[in-house]
Amino acid sequence: MDVLLLDAYDADSHRRLREGLVTAFPAVRFTERVLPPRHFAWRAGGNALAFAEAVPRNPRPDRLLAAGPVDLATLRGLRPDLASVPTVCYVHEHEFAYPGNPRERGRLERQLRMVYALLAADRVLVNSRYGADTLLAGVEALLARFPDAVPAGIVRRIADRLAVAPIPLEDALLATPRRRRDPARPLEVVWNHRWEWDKGPDRLPVIADVLERAGLRWRLHLLGRRFRTRPAAFDALEARLPPGHPARGCWGRIEDRDAYRTRLADADVVLSTALHDFQGLSVLEAVALGCAPVVPDRLAYREFLPRAALVPGDADDADRDGAALAARLLAEAERPTAAPDLASLTWSRQRAAWAAHLGLPADGCVGGRP
């Protein structure tokens, strides 16, 4: 069984899915072609040019799995030999629910390319029901903007081939011994997201102010990927928690995966302030390692975490949102809660569903068409 696996933006969660599939289906021969996670607009717009040259012509794959913003329709036009290969399109993220950014350009074109990709695939997988619902609603709203020549039934055609398939968690995460909260030490809080504006970093200075005024002994670890430019909120946070401040923990990405997971397992709480998260894999990974989640009551968090872990707030008001999250952190320091059980999201529980989605029997041998 030969599966051609393409990813146009091989970010952390994308790589986790690739690695998980290869491990879960050892009998399948995966041919992987990926593009590095930088220059997003160019990746989304020009990936078909790169893949048309990079994808081998022989042997013909039995399946094509296109993940990330693969321009599938254009690729199939440039490579007619791939046009008849049963194809699955995996949607890690999409442009229809991304928060508005007045500086951004080219979103309409990326949205249209995604519509073409969805129609070119035999099956569409989305990593959450939130992602699926916002995708279908977004496609419908986009097509309604055009003056004419829009065929009827496009949204229904996409919906009929769509299924929800979260990225599974490694079983080993849940086997890690969970540390009990030590009231003698500071509350260890992890924020493990990209250092970008859509992850809501403008809530962090508000949270720091509330916790500092309350006199809480705490330590904040910012473990996400940093970029050459960063939102001003991180400068404001650094002004409140300068180097040497007792509440300042590890700031910056930990490249070694084992060391990163050790840091997560040693924390008490995983915090999210996100405005944009289609599955929240970094939060789920921390929860699997024993962190209690403190997350806003929105996005995909509602699907994967219990109601008690969700914090009502205001996505349009950073001050109110941050204050609500800070109040939950104070409560967590006073009355620790246990991390919820995420066993249902592990590869051992999700493997059969993924085999069905990809048209593979559970043993990874040749199966039917998607």
Side-chain angles (χ1 to χ4, degrees), residues 20-352:
L21 287 169
V22 171
T23 301
F25 298 102
V28 174
R29 292 185 296 272
F30 286 94
T31 299
E32 302 174 51
R33 295 293 185 271
V34 303
L35 298 174
R38 55 177 182 262
H39 313 305
F40 180 79
W42 167 235
R43 289 287 174 266
N47 64 77
L49 290 172
F51 286 139
E53 296 298 321
V55 170
R57 296 183 180 274
N58 289 298
R60 179 185 182 274
D62 300 297
R63 297 284 184 275
L64 168 57
L65 173 58
V70 175
D71 188 357
L72 190 57
T74 301
L75 176 61
R76 287 182 134 181
L78 294 173
R79 287 288 302 272
D81 56 309
L82 298 176
S84 61
V85 175
T87 299
V88 176
C89 176
Y90 190 80
V91 181
H92 284 275
E93 59 271 313
H94 60 75
E95 297 283 341
F96 298 100
Y98 196 80
N101 183 351
R103 297 174 298 173
E104 188 179 27
R105 300 289 183 270
R107 182 179 293 195
L108 177 62
E109 290 79 5
R110 292 195 293 273
Q111 289 176 337
L112 275 173
R113 277 194 297 272
M114 172 155 279
V115 173
Y116 301 149
L118 298 173
L119 293 172
D122 299 288
R123 176 167 291 184
V124 176
L125 302 178
V126 188
N127 57 0
S128 67
R129 174 48 55 188
Y130 165 76
D133 291 344
T134 52
L135 174 65
L136 294 173
V139 171
E140 185 171 34
L142 173 69
L143 298 179
R145 296 171 56 185
F146 299 132
D148 59 13
V150 177
I154 288 179
V155 176
R156 174 46 52 194
R157 287 164 59 190
I158 296 171
D160 286 346
R161 65 191 69 179
L162 185 149
V164 174
I167 300 172
L169 299 169
E170 296 96 322
D171 288 76
L173 293 176
L174 276 74
T176 303
R178 298 191 173 190
R179 183 187 55 77
R180 294 178 62 87
R181 164 103 167 94
D182 181 359
R185 74 171 196 167
L187 182 74
E188 302 283 343
V189 179
V190 165
W191 186 92
N192 54 343
H193 306 271
R194 290 180 284 105
W195 288 35
E196 293 187 288
W197 71 278
D198 62 296
K199 296 304 182 181
D202 51 352
R203 278 75 174 155
L204 293 175
V206 178
I207 292 170
D209 282 345
V210 172
L211 299 189
E212 290 294 293
R213 287 199 306 269
L216 179 69
R217 294 177 61 248
W218 70 302
R219 188 177 293 118
L220 176 63
H221 305 281
L222 301 182
L223 302 183
R225 182 184 294 276
R226 291 192 283 189
F227 301 88
R228 284 179 295 179
T229 60
R230 67 183 192 180
F234 290 104
D235 297 324
L237 180 64
E238 187 150 21
R240 289 161 173 79
L241 306 178
H245 192 287
R248 180 167 172 147
C250 176
W251 284 22
R253 179 180 173 84
I254 300 175
E255 294 293 342
D256 181 81
R257 183 177 295 185
D258 290 338
Y260 169 71
R261 288 180 170 174
T262 297
R263 172 61 67 186
L264 294 183
D266 193 48
D268 302 305
V269 173
V270 59
L271 168 68
S272 173
T273 55
L275 304 173
H276 164 245
D277 222 343
F278 286 115
Q279 182 179 345
L281 191 60
S282 62
V283 169
L284 298 179
E285 181 180 16
V287 171
L289 288 166
C291 292
V294 173
V295 302
D297 185 9
R298 53 178 176 257
L299 311 173
Y301 299 132
R302 295 171 174 175
E303 297 173 50
F304 302 115
L305 297 171
R307 173 63 60 181
L310 307 177
V311 180
D314 189 341
D316 297 320
D317 189 322
D319 290 340
R320 291 181 60 187
D321 214 36
L325 291 165
R328 179 62 61 85
L329 287 170
L330 289 170
E332 186 65 36
E334 184 75 19
R335 296 178 301 278
T337 58
D341 182 9
L342 299 182
S344 63
L345 290 175
T346 56
W347 270 108
S348 62
R349 301 276 286 273
Q350 295 290 324
R351 186 176 184 274

